[in-house]
Amino acid sequence: MAPATTTKRTLSTAEARRETVLEAAMGVFCERGYLGTPTKDVAEAAGISQAYLFRLFPTKSDLVVAVAQRANDRIREAFVKAAAQAKAAGEDPGEAMGRVYGDLLEDRTLLLNLIHQFAAAASMPEVAEASRASFAELVALVEQETGRDAESLQRFFAHGMLMNTMAAIGAPGRDERWAQLLTGC
Amino acid sequence: MAPATTTKRTLSTAEARRETVLEAAMGVFCERGYLGTPTKDVAEAAGISQAYLFRLFPTKSDLVVAVAQRANDRIREAFVKAAAQAKAAGEDPGEAMGRVYGDLLEDRTLLLNLIHQFAAAASMPEVAEASRASFAELVALVEQETGRDAESLQRFFAHGMLMNTMAAIGAPGRDERWAQLLTGC
DNA sequence: CGATGAAGTGAGTGACCGCTCACACCACCG
DNA sequence: CGGTGGTGTGAGCGGTCACTCACTTCATCG
């Protein structure tokens, strides 16, 4: 790893390692999910030993929750940025947020982490709590930025969840009629 | 299990046993998902030995695919039945199908198997294929029975996927504003 | 009856999993 | 210089996993 270029200790090295690990974990978890992926794979992808992984995240559950929160954070940040840019350009923030969500789903890693998160929520209360907190923030954000009514907001998020599912099962790109119908914008 | 104490033992056919196993498997898989649930738990829930489970389903993957298909079958059957009843009663089949999907999600077992199926689709091509086949049938069915246009069909399924997700993360029943907004009909 | 084949299981197997521990390394400080 | 505290690891531990095999029990039929 490259050492910090300059400065004094603004960020601990362990903290930076944790960032590396979370990034690598998202990439590894997205294939077989949280329960299906061994911690050894995460450690290898992050370029550290399994022993050190367990010092950075005391249990696998801790790691999973952190990964889920990171995925949620990434979505929220993208929404905030898209809304700000749209407002500055005098465009519709709602449309910009919908478009940016579609762009996010192009990143298969993020998308799969999302659906693994929802699946894991069934047996991990902390993950479920993180998911709910994320939806709370996202709904508030979209409502505030767009001023849409309840039905319109529900449609916005429903469309997002459909796109999630379609991407997960590999529907986009298929030329069957049903796939084009459900994935079409 | 039951006939162990008595000297008599009533054998069942392998086919009947497979049905029992699939039913039990849905109940056990729904908690921790396909990769997170050991086959031992499935065998116990079905009341057979692990060894015999592996004679009925040669690999865990075979079992998982069969369970996914069974969940999909159950939804399709419910849709067909609801549409037929609605038509016979002179009601709107589309509304009936939407309502019956809401009823199906009351069964947490089925709902969780659905989202675990979508998650598993990421690493199990056969599961992904089963999911796609199910969507193909469902879309054709709803379109045929309701005659709705593309946008309306997409909204129908999008709403279903949102309900899936909300139920999975435990949103229904919460009194936070966002939850009522997204789960409200 | 004895034979045949399907139903069903106890007792493993090797591989793998989450997690731990003793210890090495390195930068900095007095 | 030695000490201190954080970074990092090799080697495993106990337990669990998917899967197997030798074996028993049962129903059926000539």
Side-chain angles (χ1 to χ4, degrees):
Chain A
M1 283 290 114
T5 48
T6 46
T7 71
K8 306 182 178 181
R9 52 170 56 258
T10 40
L11 202 69
S12 136
T13 310
E15 204 55 42
R17 275 293 198 209
R18 258 184 278 263
E19 287 302 305
T20 313
V21 169
L22 287 181
E23 203 60 37
M26 279 191 65
V28 182
F29 277 146
C30 76
E31 191 71 15
R32 298 174 55 84
Y34 298 151
L35 286 162
T37 307
T39 54
K40 195 189 72 151
D41 290 6
V42 176
E44 273 175 15
I48 63 172
S49 70
Q50 197 190 7
Y52 193 45
L53 172 66
F54 274 92
R55 186 169 303 173
L56 296 174
F57 298 92
T59 69
K60 186 182 185 182
S61 178
D62 292 337
L63 172 62
V64 164
V65 171
V67 166
Q69 279 169 344
R70 189 183 178 83
N72 294 338
D73 286 349
R74 192 167 293 179
I75 294 172
R76 194 193 58 238
E77 286 160 12
F79 271 47
V80 167
K81 189 173 151 198
Q85 286 182 346
K87 280 205 293 188
E91 294 168 5
D92 176 26
E95 196 187 319
M97 286 166 133
R99 200 172 49 238
V100 84
Y101 191 70
D103 292 346
L104 280 176
L105 292 191
E106 296 288 317
D107 176 8
R108 194 168 164 75
T109 300
L110 178 60
L111 156 267
L112 288 177
N113 268 277
L114 269 188
I115 86 138
H116 286 309
Q117 175 183 156
F118 299 147
S123 61
M124 300 179 63
E126 294 162 292
V127 173
E129 174 56 36
S131 303
R132 278 185 248 118
S134 174
F135 269 106
E137 287 177 351
L138 254 35
V139 169
L141 184 63
V142 176
E143 184 177 26
Q144 176 191 322
E145 296 290 347
T146 68
R148 296 193 187 185
D149 66 0
E151 194 188 330
S152 174
L153 284 170
Q154 194 188 46
R155 265 214 296 268
F156 180 90
F157 284 92
H159 185 76
M161 295 306 105
L162 178 64
M163 292 304 109
N164 275 356
T165 311
M166 290 301 106
I169 68 173
R174 302 241 145 203
D175 57 357
E176 288 103 334
R177 177 172 155 67
W178 69 270
Q180 306 208 336
L181 208 146
L182 291 187
T183 59
C185 197
Chain B
M1 290 297 289
T5 44
T6 75
T7 48
K8 218 73 182 283
R9 186 160 58 124
T10 41
L11 294 184
S12 47
T13 69
E15 205 51 46
R17 273 297 195 207
R18 257 184 277 263
E19 286 302 304
T20 313
V21 168
L22 287 181
E23 202 62 36
M26 279 190 66
V28 182
F29 276 146
C30 74
E31 191 71 15
R32 298 175 57 84
Y34 298 151
L35 287 163
T37 307
T39 54
K40 196 190 74 156
D41 290 6
V42 176
E44 273 174 15
I48 62 171
S49 69
Q50 196 189 10
Y52 192 44
L53 172 66
F54 274 92
R55 186 167 304 172
L56 296 174
F57 298 93
T59 69
K60 186 183 185 182
S61 178
D62 292 337
L63 173 63
V64 164
V65 171
V67 166
Q69 278 169 342
R70 188 183 179 83
N72 294 338
D73 286 348
R74 191 167 295 178
I75 295 173
R76 195 193 59 236
E77 287 160 11
F79 271 47
V80 168
K81 189 173 151 198
Q85 286 180 346
K87 280 204 293 188
E91 294 168 6
D92 176 26
E95 197 187 319
M97 285 165 135
R99 201 171 46 238
V100 83
Y101 191 69
D103 293 347
L104 281 177
L105 292 192
E106 296 288 316
D107 176 8
R108 196 166 162 77
T109 300
L110 178 59
L111 156 267
L112 288 178
N113 268 277
L114 270 187
I115 85 140
H116 286 308
Q117 176 183 156
F118 299 145
S123 63
M124 301 179 63
E126 294 162 290
V127 173
E129 175 56 36
S131 303
R132 277 185 249 119
S134 174
F135 269 106
E137 288 178 351
L138 255 34
V139 169
L141 184 63
V142 175
E143 183 177 27
Q144 177 191 322
E145 296 290 346
T146 68
R148 296 192 188 186
D149 66 1
E151 194 189 329
S152 173
L153 284 171
Q154 194 188 45
R155 266 215 294 269
F156 180 91
F157 284 91
H159 185 75
M161 295 306 104
L162 178 64
M163 294 302 109
N164 275 356
T165 310
M166 290 300 106
I169 68 173
R174 301 240 146 204
D175 57 359
E176 289 104 334
R177 176 172 156 67
W178 68 269
Q180 306 207 334
L181 209 147
L182 291 188
T183 58
C185 197

